[in-house]
Amino acid sequence: MPTKVGTTTAVIGLLHYINWFIRLCCAALVVGAATWLIVQPDPRDELRAADRLFVAGRYHEALGVYLSLAPRLPVAQLRVGMVQTIRGERVPAERALRSSMQRGLVHADYHLALLYLGQALAADGRYALAQHTWQLMEDCRSAAACTYRAHGRLLAGEAAFQQGNDTQAEVWFRAALAEPLPHRWAVVARYRLALLRAAWEADVALDYLTQPIGISGPAQPLLAPLMPMLATTPAQLAAILEAPNEQRWLLLGQLYVAQERFELAEAQFAQVPAESPYGTAAAAYTAYIHWRTGATEQSLARLTDLVVANPEATQPRLLLILVHLSSANEEAARAEIEGLSELGVDEADIEIAWANWYSARREYNLASLAYDRAIAAAPEDRRGEYALLAARFHLATTYELCAVGWPMAEVAARERPDHAEALTLVAAHRYRCGAFADAISAAEAAQVAGPNAEAAYYAGQALAALGSNAEAREALIRAADIAPASVWRERAEDALRYVR
C-alpha cells in the first residue's frame, strides 16, 4: 500500500505534468493562431493591389476588386465611386462616394472623396453643388488631407471656365498655383490662365506660358484621371500668341471654338477687319458659331451675304450647304452645290458635297457612287483622304459594307499606312465581313500609334470569333480601360458578358 508521502509526490508530479501539458497546448494554440492570421487574406493588401491596377489604368479589373471589398471597407467603396466617376456613371458614383463618407473615412480619404464627388456633380451639370463640394476642401485638418486642396481649386476653376464664369475661374486657377502642385497640374493651371488672358492681353498670357514653374508638389497617382485635357500644347498656344494680330485673332478664335467658348471666339473674330486676308474666314466662323448656338436664320443670312460678297470663296458656300442640309432645306443646298462648279472647285470636293447631299436624303446608292467619283477625281496625294471619308460612310450606314466599304478602307490604309483611324476602319470592316484574323492584324497595327479603344474593341471581337477567349477578354478589357467614359467601354463590357 503506497505511503502518504509517495501519494503526495505522485500527485505533485501529475500536476506538474498537467501544467506543462497545458502550457504546451496554449503555446501551440498561440502559434497556430498566429499562423492562421498570417495566412488569412488581408483586405488592405487586396485594396493596395487594386490600387496598383487603378494607377496602371486597369479600371475594369480594379473595379471588380473594389466591389468585393466595399462591404467591409468604406475606403474600398470610395474607390468604387472614383472608378464610376471616371467611367461617366455619375449617379452611381455620387451614391458610392456619399455612402463611403457616411460610413467613416480618415481625413485624407474624406477629401479624396470630396474631390471626386465634385467632379461627378460637375459632369452631371450640377455646377453650383460641385463648387460647394470643392469649397469644403478648404477646411482640411491634416497635412495629408491638405494635399488635395490645390487639386480641388484647379477642378473648380476648370468647371467655372467651362461655364463661362471667367472671373471666378481665374481666381481658382491662381489659388491652385499658390500651393505646390504636381508639375503637369501646374502646367494645366498656367495654360488655362493664359487662355483666359489671351483674349485681351496676349503679352500677359505669353508670360504665363513662359515663366518657369516653381516647386512642384508630389505626384498623386490616384488623381491622374481627373487632370483636365488641353486642346493644344502650351508651345502651340504660345505660337498663336506670337503671331501677327490678324492671324492671332483668327487662330485664337478657332481655338476658343474648339473649347466651345463661343463668346470668346466671336469677340476674336470680330477684331479681324473685313478687308484682311483672314476676314472672310473670320466672318464664316462667326456664322458657324451662330448656327452652333441655335441662331440658324442669322447664320443663313450671314453666310448668304458672304457668298454674294465673295463669290470665289469656297468656305462660306460649303458652310452654307452644311446649314441648309441640317435644316432639311435640300433644294437650297443643291443650288449651292451646283454653284461650286462655277468657282473652279476641285471636282473631288464637289463630289463629296454631292455625297453628303445624297446621304442627307438617305439615297445611299447615289452617295456611294459620288464617293467613287471623288476618289477617281482626287489628286494622288489626297486619294487616301477621300477613301477614308467613303469608308466612314459605308461603316456608319452599313450600305454595301463588304462589297464597297471594305475596299475603300483598304485603299485609305494603303495610302496612309501609319494612319491609326484608317487602320481602325480596316479592322472594323474586316471584322464585320468575317475576315477575323486579318481584322486582328489591322487592329494591332492601329494601336502602334497609341492607345485606341475602338481598335482594341474590334481586336477583342475578332479574337472571340476565332475562339481565343482569354485573349479576347484581355483586348476587350483594354478597350474599356482606354476610354472608360465612352461608348467603346460600354460595347466592350457588353461583349465581355458573352466571352468566357
Side-chain angles (χ1 to χ4, degrees):
M1 192 173 170
T3 63
K4 185 176 181 181
V5 174
T7 302
T8 302
T9 301
V11 170
I12 292 172
L14 180 60
L15 288 174
H16 278 302
Y17 173 77
I18 292 171
N19 287 335
W20 172 82
F21 181 76
I22 291 173
R23 285 197 300 272
L24 183 63
C25 290
C26 287
L29 285 172
V30 169
V31 171
T35 303
W36 181 84
L37 288 172
I38 290 171
V39 299
Q40 289 306 298
D42 183 349
R44 291 282 174 176
D45 288 340
E46 295 179 69
L47 180 69
R48 284 187 284 271
D51 282 347
R52 288 192 289 273
L53 293 172
F54 180 97
V55 171
R58 296 165 62 181
Y59 305 119
H60 182 90
E61 295 170 86
L63 180 60
V65 181
Y66 291 146
L67 286 169
S68 69
L69 296 174
R72 290 176 285 167
L73 294 176
V75 70
Q77 190 168 28
L78 159 62
R79 299 292 199 271
V80 170
M82 289 163 55
V83 176
Q84 289 172 332
T85 300
I86 295 166
R87 288 159 58 97
E89 298 170 323
R90 299 182 291 273
V91 174
E94 180 185 358
R95 187 162 51 244
L97 291 166
R98 290 192 185 280
S99 179
S100 71
M101 295 160 71
Q102 291 164 2
R103 290 173 63 188
L105 297 169
V106 299
H107 283 161
D109 287 333
Y110 191 88
H111 278 247
L112 184 59
L114 287 174
L115 194 69
Y116 270 89
L117 178 58
Q119 186 70 9
L121 293 167
D124 201 36
R126 290 179 283 170
Y127 292 108
L129 188 54
Q131 295 282 5
H132 175 72
T133 302
W134 285 317
Q135 185 71 44
L136 294 174
M137 298 178 66
E138 295 296 310
D139 181 23
C140 50
R141 308 282 177 92
S142 69
C146 291
T147 300
Y148 302 126
R149 183 166 57 188
H151 301 81
R153 291 172 178 176
L154 189 145
L155 293 180
E158 183 69 12
F161 174 80
Q162 298 300 337
Q163 288 178 274
N165 189 345
D166 295 342
T167 301
Q168 190 61 45
E170 186 167 348
V171 169
W172 280 118
F173 290 135
R174 288 182 180 277
L177 288 168
E179 296 189 16
L181 268 172
H183 182 81
R184 293 177 63 193
W185 287 74
V187 167
V188 170
R190 290 283 191 89
Y191 180 96
R192 282 287 186 254
L193 283 170
L195 198 58
L196 287 170
R197 285 289 175 178
W200 321 113
E201 298 175 304
D203 292 342
V204 174
L206 199 56
D207 286 341
Y208 280 125
L209 295 172
T210 55
Q211 289 175 0
I213 294 174
I215 299 174
S216 296
Q220 300 294 334
L222 292 177
L223 305 187
L226 296 184
M227 189 174 71
M229 302 298 293
L230 302 181
T232 68
T233 66
Q236 289 169 328
L237 178 56
I240 291 173
L241 296 174
E242 291 172 333
N245 283 347
E246 294 176 5
Q247 186 180 15
R248 184 181 75 246
W249 293 328
L250 178 66
L251 293 174
L252 194 55
Q254 290 172 334
L255 184 56
Y256 286 136
V257 167
Q259 297 279 314
E260 297 193 352
R261 289 300 311 273
F262 297 128
E263 73 290 352
L264 292 177
E266 192 166 358
Q268 294 300 303
F269 296 139
Q271 296 182 75
V272 182
E275 65 276 10
S276 162
Y278 308 104
T280 301
Y285 268 104
T286 300
Y288 171 77
I289 289 172
H290 294 160
W291 175 57
R292 284 289 305 274
T293 54
T296 304
E297 292 303 319
Q298 186 179 358
S299 176
L300 281 170
R302 183 62 177 136
L303 287 169
T304 302
D305 289 344
L306 284 172
V307 168
V308 172
N310 305 274
E312 296 184 0
T314 59
Q315 188 178 41
R317 196 179 294 268
L318 289 171
L319 279 172
L320 188 56
I321 293 168
L322 178 64
V323 175
H324 280 315
L325 288 176
S326 71
S327 305
N329 193 346
E330 296 168 359
E331 289 310 310
R334 182 189 186 104
E336 295 300 332
I337 296 172
E338 290 172 345
L340 286 174
S341 302
E342 301 172 6
L343 299 178
V345 175
D346 287 344
E347 184 182 348
D349 288 330
I350 295 173
E351 293 296 348
I352 292 297
W354 281 120
N356 289 330
W357 190 77
Y358 288 125
S359 294
R361 293 167 58 88
R362 290 181 171 77
E363 295 177 333
Y364 297 143
N365 57 331
L366 296 176
S368 179
L369 291 173
Y371 279 117
D372 283 343
R373 292 193 296 269
I375 295 169
E380 187 174 349
D381 61 343
R382 297 189 65 190
R383 192 169 297 141
E385 174 187 339
Y386 294 109
L388 194 67
L389 293 174
R392 282 186 199 144
F393 160 78
H394 285 281
L395 185 63
T397 62
T398 70
Y399 174 77
E400 295 288 350
L401 182 69
C402 300
V404 181
W406 184 2
M408 294 292 186
E410 297 287 354
V411 170
R414 187 165 60 250
E415 295 290 327
R416 297 179 164 194
D418 299 323
H419 195 274
E421 184 183 358
L423 290 166
T424 301
L425 282 171
V426 169
H429 281 83
R430 288 177 179 176
Y431 166 70
R432 296 282 183 85
C433 299
F436 303 127
D438 292 335
I440 295 165
S441 298
E444 290 174 347
Q447 295 176 85
V448 170
N452 185 322
E454 185 179 357
Y457 168 79
Y458 284 116
Q461 289 283 51
L463 285 162
L466 292 174
S468 301
N469 287 356
E471 292 173 280
R473 288 188 62 81
E474 183 180 335
L476 290 168
I477 289 170
R478 185 165 63 253
D481 288 337
I482 290 170
S486 75
V487 66
W488 297 110
R489 189 267 299 168
E490 296 173 8
R491 292 180 181 179
E493 291 188 338
D494 284 342
L496 280 168
R497 296 190 180 97
Y498 305 100
V499 181
R500 299 298 176 191

